[in-house]
Amino acid sequence: MTIPTPPDPTAAETAKHLPHAITTYLREADPAHRANAHDLLSAFTPDAVVIDEEKTYTGHDEIHRWRETAATEYTYTVELTHAEKLDDTHYVVTNHLEGNFPGGVVDLIYRFTLNSENLITNLEIAP
């Protein structure tokens, strides 16, 4: 059982200052938004790596297939509960998800690494 994490009151303010690539990813990954593959992939370098559910997806083609599958597999809501800049290239965002996936509730931690052009080179997603 996951203990609900109350939203960090500074999360919304911090999220306003996240790099464009991260806000683009968060918008395009939100199930309430009609995702646009071109916009989603524009947030990533061509050789970016995503690790989700212990699986690795490398490059735009694999990342696109991963998001298409993830977006249609379950119905869920997303609430941003935490956002933090660790340094110029590393950010952590936590989203609270509720839906029809196993367990029904989870807090996911998104660890972003950006390159010098502020594009995502690495994204790790884990509870």
Side-chain angles (χ1 to χ4, degrees):
M1 177 174 141
T2 302
I3 298 172
T5 303
D8 177 348
T10 63
E13 185 59 32
T14 303
K16 292 178 187 175
H17 303 287
L18 289 171
H20 181 69
I22 295 175
T23 58
T24 297
Y25 169 79
L26 294 173
R27 181 188 69 238
E28 297 303 321
D30 187 329
H33 176 79
R34 184 176 169 99
N36 177 308
H38 174 74
D39 288 347
L40 173 75
L41 295 174
S42 74
F44 291 90
T45 61
D47 59 347
V49 174
V50 173
I51 301 170
D52 183 29
E53 296 186 44
E54 300 180 10
K55 294 179 184 154
T56 301
Y57 307 91
T58 304
H60 281 184
D61 289 343
E62 288 185 16
I63 292 169
H64 180 251
R65 280 193 295 279
W66 160 71
R67 276 309 312 155
E68 289 292 309
T69 301
T72 60
E73 195 169 10
Y74 301 108
T75 302
Y76 56 94
T77 60
V78 177
E79 178 184 9
L80 177 75
T81 58
H82 180 79
E84 182 177 1
K85 177 180 180 178
L86 302 178
D87 59 35
D88 287 342
T89 61
H90 296 91
Y91 294 79
V92 175
V93 173
T94 304
N95 278 333
H96 179 76
L97 281 65
E98 293 187 22
N100 65 350
F101 50 85
V105 176
V106 68
D107 291 314
L108 291 180
I109 299 169
Y110 298 74
R111 291 178 180 88
F112 294 92
T113 302
L114 306 180
N115 67 5
S116 61
E117 288 131 24
N118 281 330
L119 293 176
I120 301 167
T121 61
N122 190 281
L123 168 58
E124 290 184 53
I125 304 170

